[in-house]
PDB file of all heavy atoms in Angstrom:
ATOM      1  N   GLY B  20     -14.982 -13.102  59.769  1.00 97.00           N
ATOM      2  CA  GLY B  20     -15.485 -14.403  60.218  1.00 97.00           C
ATOM      3  C   GLY B  20     -15.003 -14.726  61.626  1.00 97.00           C
ATOM      4  O   GLY B  20     -15.769 -15.244  62.448  1.00 97.00           O
ATOM      5  N   GLU B  21     -13.741 -14.399  61.904  1.00 97.00           N
ATOM      6  CA  GLU B  21     -13.203 -14.677  63.246  1.00 97.00           C
ATOM      7  C   GLU B  21     -13.938 -13.867  64.308  1.00 97.00           C
ATOM      8  O   GLU B  21     -14.227 -14.364  65.399  1.00 97.00           O
ATOM      9  CB  GLU B  21     -11.698 -14.369  63.285  1.00 97.00           C
ATOM     10  CG  GLU B  21     -10.880 -15.410  62.530  1.00 97.00           C
ATOM     11  CD  GLU B  21      -9.471 -14.931  62.192  1.00 97.00           C
ATOM     12  OE1 GLU B  21      -8.987 -13.967  62.825  1.00 97.00           O
ATOM     13  OE2 GLU B  21      -8.864 -15.522  61.272  1.00 97.00           O
ATOM     14  N   THR B  22     -14.232 -12.613  63.976  1.00 98.00           N
ATOM     15  CA  THR B  22     -14.960 -11.760  64.926  1.00 98.00           C
ATOM     16  C   THR B  22     -16.368 -12.296  65.161  1.00 98.00           C
ATOM     17  O   THR B  22     -16.834 -12.389  66.310  1.00 98.00           O
ATOM     18  CB  THR B  22     -15.032 -10.311  64.395  1.00 98.00           C
ATOM     19  OG1 THR B  22     -13.704  -9.854  64.172  1.00 98.00           O
ATOM     20  CG2 THR B  22     -15.727  -9.407  65.390  1.00 98.00           C
ATOM     21  N   ALA B  23     -17.050 -12.685  64.075  1.00 98.00           N
ATOM     22  CA  ALA B  23     -18.401 -13.244  64.234  1.00 98.00           C
ATOM     23  C   ALA B  23     -18.347 -14.507  65.083  1.00 98.00           C
ATOM     24  O   ALA B  23     -19.192 -14.716  65.961  1.00 98.00           O
ATOM     25  CB  ALA B  23     -19.014 -13.532  62.862  1.00 98.00           C
ATOM     26  N   ALA B  24     -17.344 -15.361  64.855  1.00 98.00           N
ATOM     27  CA  ALA B  24     -17.226 -16.601  65.628  1.00 98.00           C
ATOM     28  C   ALA B  24     -17.034 -16.288  67.117  1.00 98.00           C
ATOM     29  O   ALA B  24     -17.668 -16.900  67.980  1.00 98.00           O
ATOM     30  CB  ALA B  24     -16.061 -17.448  65.096  1.00 98.00           C
ATOM     31  N   ARG B  25     -16.172 -15.314  67.394  1.00 98.00           N
ATOM     32  CA  ARG B  25     -15.909 -14.969  68.798  1.00 98.00           C
ATOM     33  C   ARG B  25     -17.176 -14.446  69.471  1.00 98.00           C
ATOM     34  O   ARG B  25     -17.532 -14.861  70.583  1.00 98.00           O
ATOM     35  CB  ARG B  25     -14.789 -13.919  68.865  1.00 98.00           C
ATOM     36  CG  ARG B  25     -14.399 -13.512  70.278  1.00 98.00           C
ATOM     37  CD  ARG B  25     -13.176 -12.608  70.299  1.00 98.00           C
ATOM     38  NE  ARG B  25     -13.294 -11.440  69.443  1.00 98.00           N
ATOM     39  CZ  ARG B  25     -14.020 -10.350  69.715  1.00 98.00           C
ATOM     40  NH1 ARG B  25     -14.730 -10.275  70.834  1.00 98.00           N
ATOM     41  NH2 ARG B  25     -14.047  -9.329  68.877  1.00 98.00           N
ATOM     42  N   LEU B  26     -17.891 -13.550  68.766  1.00 98.00           N
ATOM     43  CA  LEU B  26     -19.105 -12.982  69.354  1.00 98.00           C
ATOM     44  C   LEU B  26     -20.173 -14.055  69.565  1.00 98.00           C
ATOM     45  O   LEU B  26     -20.865 -14.071  70.587  1.00 98.00           O
ATOM     46  CB  LEU B  26     -19.648 -11.861  68.457  1.00 98.00           C
ATOM     47  CG  LEU B  26     -18.763 -10.609  68.375  1.00 98.00           C
ATOM     48  CD1 LEU B  26     -19.279  -9.668  67.299  1.00 98.00           C
ATOM     49  CD2 LEU B  26     -18.708  -9.902  69.723  1.00 98.00           C
ATOM     50  N   LEU B  27     -20.315 -14.963  68.604  1.00 98.00           N
ATOM     51  CA  LEU B  27     -21.318 -16.024  68.748  1.00 98.00           C
ATOM     52  C   LEU B  27     -20.956 -16.940  69.910  1.00 98.00           C
ATOM     53  O   LEU B  27     -21.839 -17.377  70.669  1.00 98.00           O
ATOM     54  CB  LEU B  27     -21.458 -16.809  67.439  1.00 98.00           C
ATOM     55  CG  LEU B  27     -22.147 -16.039  66.306  1.00 98.00           C
ATOM     56  CD1 LEU B  27     -22.011 -16.783  64.978  1.00 98.00           C
ATOM     57  CD2 LEU B  27     -23.630 -15.792  66.613  1.00 98.00           C
ATOM     58  N   LYS B  28     -19.651 -17.222  70.088  1.00 98.00           N
ATOM     59  CA  LYS B  28     -19.242 -18.039  71.245  1.00 98.00           C
ATOM     60  C   LYS B  28     -19.567 -17.314  72.545  1.00 98.00           C
ATOM     61  O   LYS B  28     -20.034 -17.922  73.506  1.00 98.00           O
ATOM     62  CB  LYS B  28     -17.746 -18.344  71.166  1.00 98.00           C
ATOM     63  CG  LYS B  28     -17.399 -19.433  70.170  1.00 98.00           C
ATOM     64  CD  LYS B  28     -15.883 -19.633  70.108  1.00 98.00           C
ATOM     65  CE  LYS B  28     -15.498 -20.446  68.882  1.00 98.00           C
ATOM     66  NZ  LYS B  28     -14.050 -20.386  68.616  1.00 98.00           N
ATOM     67  N   GLU B  29     -19.307 -16.005  72.563  1.00 97.00           N
ATOM     68  CA  GLU B  29     -19.610 -15.226  73.779  1.00 97.00           C
ATOM     69  C   GLU B  29     -21.112 -15.247  74.094  1.00 97.00           C
ATOM     70  O   GLU B  29     -21.511 -15.139  75.249  1.00 97.00           O
ATOM     71  CB  GLU B  29     -19.127 -13.780  73.618  1.00 97.00           C
ATOM     72  CG  GLU B  29     -17.609 -13.656  73.737  1.00 97.00           C
ATOM     73  CD  GLU B  29     -17.098 -12.250  73.438  1.00 97.00           C
ATOM     74  OE1 GLU B  29     -17.914 -11.312  73.365  1.00 97.00           O
ATOM     75  OE2 GLU B  29     -15.873 -12.114  73.277  1.00 97.00           O
ATOM     76  N   LEU B  30     -21.932 -15.372  73.045  1.00 97.00           N
ATOM     77  CA  LEU B  30     -23.386 -15.471  73.263  1.00 97.00           C
ATOM     78  C   LEU B  30     -23.810 -16.893  73.653  1.00 97.00           C
ATOM     79  O   LEU B  30     -24.995 -17.141  73.886  1.00 97.00           O
ATOM     80  CB  LEU B  30     -24.139 -15.042  71.991  1.00 97.00           C
ATOM     81  CG  LEU B  30     -24.110 -13.542  71.660  1.00 97.00           C
ATOM     82  CD1 LEU B  30     -24.697 -13.289  70.270  1.00 97.00           C
ATOM     83  CD2 LEU B  30     -24.890 -12.740  72.700  1.00 97.00           C
ATOM     84  N   GLY B  31     -22.847 -17.824  73.679  1.00 97.00           N
ATOM     85  CA  GLY B  31     -23.145 -19.165  74.174  1.00 97.00           C
ATOM     86  C   GLY B  31     -23.322 -20.233  73.108  1.00 97.00           C
ATOM     87  O   GLY B  31     -23.651 -21.379  73.444  1.00 97.00           O
ATOM     88  N   TYR B  32     -23.099 -19.896  71.851  1.00 97.00           N
ATOM     89  CA  TYR B  32     -23.283 -20.904  70.789  1.00 97.00           C
ATOM     90  C   TYR B  32     -22.030 -21.743  70.612  1.00 97.00           C
ATOM     91  O   TYR B  32     -20.909 -21.250  70.713  1.00 97.00           O
ATOM     92  CB  TYR B  32     -23.647 -20.214  69.466  1.00 97.00           C
ATOM     93  CG  TYR B  32     -24.939 -19.471  69.556  1.00 97.00           C
ATOM     94  CD1 TYR B  32     -24.958 -18.085  69.621  1.00 97.00           C
ATOM     95  CD2 TYR B  32     -26.148 -20.150  69.628  1.00 97.00           C
ATOM     96  CE1 TYR B  32     -26.156 -17.391  69.744  1.00 97.00           C
ATOM     97  CE2 TYR B  32     -27.344 -19.465  69.755  1.00 97.00           C
ATOM     98  CZ  TYR B  32     -27.340 -18.086  69.807  1.00 97.00           C
ATOM     99  OH  TYR B  32     -28.516 -17.405  69.934  1.00 97.00           O
ATOM    100  N   LYS B  33     -22.242 -23.044  70.316  1.00 97.00           N
ATOM    101  CA  LYS B  33     -21.116 -23.961  70.126  1.00 97.00           C
ATOM    102  C   LYS B  33     -20.621 -23.880  68.687  1.00 97.00           C
ATOM    103  O   LYS B  33     -20.804 -24.804  67.882  1.00 97.00           O
ATOM    104  CB  LYS B  33     -21.554 -25.386  70.466  1.00 97.00           C
ATOM    105  CG  LYS B  33     -21.840 -25.577  71.948  1.00 97.00           C
ATOM    106  CD  LYS B  33     -22.307 -27.000  72.213  1.00 97.00           C
ATOM    107  CE  LYS B  33     -22.877 -27.157  73.604  1.00 97.00           C
ATOM    108  NZ  LYS B  33     -23.808 -28.310  73.691  1.00 97.00           N
ATOM    109  N   VAL B  34     -20.014 -22.754  68.386  1.00 98.00           N
ATOM    110  CA  VAL B  34     -19.557 -22.478  67.029  1.00 98.00           C
ATOM    111  C   VAL B  34     -18.093 -22.875  66.901  1.00 98.00           C
ATOM    112  O   VAL B  34     -17.277 -22.539  67.750  1.00 98.00           O
ATOM    113  CB  VAL B  34     -19.724 -20.970  66.728  1.00 98.00           C
ATOM    114  CG1 VAL B  34     -18.953 -20.581  65.491  1.00 98.00           C
ATOM    115  CG2 VAL B  34     -21.196 -20.633  66.582  1.00 98.00           C
TER     116      VAL B  34
END
Side-chain angles (χ1 to χ4, degrees):
Chain B
E21 287 163 19
T22 303
R25 182 173 53 76
L26 293 171
L27 289 169
K28 283 177 195 166
E29 285 174 12
L30 288 171
Y32 298 106
K33 292 178 192 157
V34 166

